[in-house]
Amino acid sequence: PLRVAVAGNGAVAAALIRNLRLLPCRLVWLTSTTPIDSGVPLAALNAGSVDQLPDYSHLLIASNDHELDKRLCAHALRHPSIGFIGCLGSEKKAALLRKALHEEGLGTVDTARIITPVGLADINGNHPSIIALSIIAQLLTRSVTGASLPVDSDRD
């Protein structure tokens, strides 16, 4: 099954969790708050939690802290098998993030693995649920190409 870690405390992170719970995937939420009834396993919102992610996990970063995003991305790039790495932000933030990661010794090939700004450009909207759906659609097109998600016979 698809393994996805969502990092962040805000509305987009919560929307990602709500929508990903509808899909056949294993989730973990890296957060520094205790969401009410999230229904998914929680882990600390820090770079060390990225190191503990299971092999072949995908990481969606939706925090509001640029320094934290940098640390999360650096650890994800050094993880032996993290797949999709998506980071919420603008083009300006993307450039700053890549520059900071280069200064930490990560090369252009490494930083090119980070999809930022994350989400499909054709899906527009500022509502957290729209942003989350755009991100999930991009994740699915990149991580499940050529394969299909298992069908849950209890759902229509």
Side-chain angles (χ1 to χ4, degrees), residues 4 8 26 43 53 64-65 78 80 83 88 92 103 151 154-155:
V4 182
R26 293 187 182 157
L53 292 176
N64 295 318
D65 181 335
R78 291 181 177 118
L88 196 60
K92 180 179 178 182
E103 290 171 358
V151 175
D154 294 336
R155 295 186 195 172

Side-chain angles (χ1 to χ4, degrees), residues 63-71 90 92-93 96-97:
S63 87
N64 295 318
D65 181 335
H66 291 233
E67 182 61 30
L68 175 62
D69 293 351
K70 180 187 79 166
R71 290 191 312 271
S90 65
K92 180 179 178 182
K93 177 183 173 184
L96 292 171
L97 175 64

